[in-house]
Amino acid sequence: MESSQRAWELENTIKLVDPHRDALYGYDEEEQKAISDERPWKNDPNHFKNVRISAVALLKMVMHARSGGSLEIMGLMQGKIAGDTFVVTDAFRLPVEGTETRVNASAEAEEYMTQYLQSCRDNGRLENAVGWYHSHPGYGCWLSGIDVRTQQLQQSFQDPFLAVVIDPDRTISAGKVEIGAFRTYPENYKPPNSNGEDEYQTIPLNKIEDFGAHAGQYYSLDISHYKSSLDSHLLELLWNKYWVSTLSQSPLFTNREYSSKQILDLSKKIQNAEKSLQAYARGGPRTNNKDSQLDKVVRDSNKIAGEEITGLLAGDVKAKLFNSVAAPAVDTSIQ
């Protein structure tokens, strides 16, 4: 059990902060008020560059996202600002109505959020709400048009504010949390062209148009994770509750619906690439689009194959480990 927890922490690069001081959990109300009054992010749209998320907050968000199944979920994050970094210390879920493409925050959710934050302050936890998180089950970590408008609204009235997206299906398949953190640009702001390419991610065909239409309206922040001595006991309690199901489940069976959708989406992309090649062979205009389509097909197929192989290997290791323990010894000697 301890080795499984250690592997999860290593896979998600969770670092232990000073166990004596737990400095990241210290909250200076006057310091935070001074930062809020100064508002350096108003002069630089790219002021915030990093996010540090506690291990407990990360685990709570992932468990919440996974509990929603194919429906999107939503919650809030608490923490503070440290220079150009959001420090997320905790997270809590909101009672919202979710669909497969969006989450709708009702008046009930607004009331719950207000009461929860006030209850925290009454009990000595002064951290502000520093962002919201929601899930994208099976289609990656990015901001849709609705997400962009929601984040722009939050940054207008409650800045500094952060948007985090988690993909629970890809998390199960990859064995590592699939997560992204984002902030939107001011209206009519044109970001400078980036020389480097963002990390490639697979986008389903039915989401590509929405993804491309709003990709220039926000930017991503670097994410790192940490744990403190305050987290260690909570992590141990959570792990004690869920480690049995983690060992007994197979990502191939748990995520089979997601895997089927991935393969179906890949087949459609292959058909589109084939049509593009056929049009070029018949004398159509030469473009780089056909090469781009083929490149994406290769990347997507390699990703799917890698996830399936990982699932098969995990199942094989578990079968050999537990079957060898449970199987009685066979006496082959001749009497």
Side-chain angles (χ1 to χ4, degrees):
M1 181 183 69
E2 290 182 3
S3 61
S4 299
Q5 180 179 347
R6 210 171 290 122
W8 181 82
E9 292 175 357
L10 287 172
E11 193 69 39
N12 291 286
T13 324
I14 294 172
K15 299 178 180 179
L16 177 66
V17 299
D18 185 349
H20 301 292
R21 297 182 60 192
D22 294 326
L24 289 176
Y25 277 85
Y27 187 86
D28 188 328
E29 192 171 8
E30 292 184 0
E31 178 189 33
Q32 294 301 303
K33 186 177 185 305
I35 294 173
S36 180
D37 291 340
E38 186 179 353
R39 305 172 75 82
W41 51 86
K42 287 295 183 181
N43 300 322
D44 180 9
N46 291 280
H47 172 74
F48 291 106
K49 298 175 176 62
N50 305 288
V51 185
R52 299 197 68 183
I53 303 176
S54 74
V56 166
L58 177 67
L59 199 56
K60 288 169 72 173
M61 290 189 288
V62 171
M63 290 165 58
H64 185 199
R66 187 60 189 167
S67 69
S70 61
L71 302 181
E72 290 193 11
I73 55 85
M74 179 181 173
L76 284 185
M77 299 174 292
Q78 293 172 274
K80 64 179 184 178
I81 304 302
D84 63 357
T85 302
F86 284 90
V87 179
V88 177
T89 56
D90 200 3
F92 63 95
R93 59 182 67 191
L94 289 176
V96 299
E97 295 180 1
T99 69
E100 292 187 355
T101 57
R102 68 178 66 183
V103 281
N104 302 310
S106 61
E108 180 187 356
E110 296 284 347
E111 183 180 355
Y112 176 86
M113 175 185 67
T114 304
Q115 292 178 351
Y116 185 93
L117 292 173
Q118 185 58 51
S119 177
C120 288
R121 295 188 183 98
D122 293 342
N123 286 277
R125 291 186 55 194
L126 303 178
E127 297 95 338
N128 292 318
V130 294
W132 66 296
Y133 71 90
H134 71 291
S135 62
H136 278 184
Y139 51 96
C141 298
W142 46 280
L143 295 185
S144 66
I146 296 173
D147 299 337
V148 167
R149 289 192 291 273
T150 300
Q151 178 62 18
Q152 287 174 336
L153 184 66
Q154 295 293 346
Q155 288 183 206
S156 298
F157 296 100
Q158 203 173 344
D159 222 15
F161 216 71
L162 175 73
V164 164
V165 182
I166 295 175
D167 188 332
D169 291 343
R170 295 188 182 185
T171 294
I172 294 295
S173 292
K176 177 184 178 182
V177 178
E178 187 83 8
I179 186 171
F182 311 97
R183 280 190 43 95
T184 53
Y185 290 118
E187 191 175 357
N188 299 325
Y189 175 80
K190 293 184 178 180
N193 293 328
S194 175
N195 293 327
E197 293 185 358
D198 291 337
E199 184 178 353
Y200 178 78
Q201 61 174 316
T202 301
I203 307 296
L205 273 177
N206 61 345
K207 300 288 184 181
I208 285 180
E209 185 176 351
D210 193 17
F211 171 77
H214 306 282
Q217 295 178 263
Y218 61 90
Y219 71 98
S220 60
L221 287 75
D222 292 331
I223 301 176
S224 61
H225 309 295
Y226 69 93
K227 72 171 184 176
S228 68
S229 58
L230 301 177
D231 285 329
S232 298
H233 181 59
L234 290 174
L235 274 175
E236 185 178 350
L237 293 176
L238 288 170
W239 209 265
N240 286 341
K241 183 176 181 181
Y242 290 101
W243 72 275
V244 174
S245 61
T246 301
L247 283 178
S248 61
Q249 291 177 351
S250 165
L252 295 180
F253 290 105
T254 305
N255 241 23
R256 57 185 178 271
E257 184 179 350
Y258 163 72
S259 299
S260 299
K261 288 180 179 178
Q262 287 283 92
I263 294 172
L264 180 61
D265 185 70
L266 178 62
S267 69
K268 293 179 181 178
K269 290 178 179 177
I270 292 174
Q271 290 174 1
N272 288 348
E274 185 179 6
K275 290 178 182 177
S276 179
L277 286 173
Q278 289 174 350
Y280 172 69
R282 289 194 296 267
R286 181 180 179 84
T287 65
N288 292 327
N289 185 48
K290 63 182 184 63
D291 297 325
S292 175
Q293 283 183 321
L294 286 174
D295 182 55
K296 290 178 180 179
V297 165
V298 171
R299 290 190 183 191
D300 291 352
S301 59
N302 286 339
K303 175 181 175 293
I304 294 173
E307 291 175 353
E308 294 297 307
I309 291 172
T310 300
L312 288 170
L313 288 174
D316 193 43
V317 169
K318 291 176 184 178
K320 288 183 177 179
L321 176 63
F322 293 108
N323 289 345
S324 62
V325 172
V330 178
D331 186 3
T332 57
S333 60
I334 301 175
Q335 299 295 332

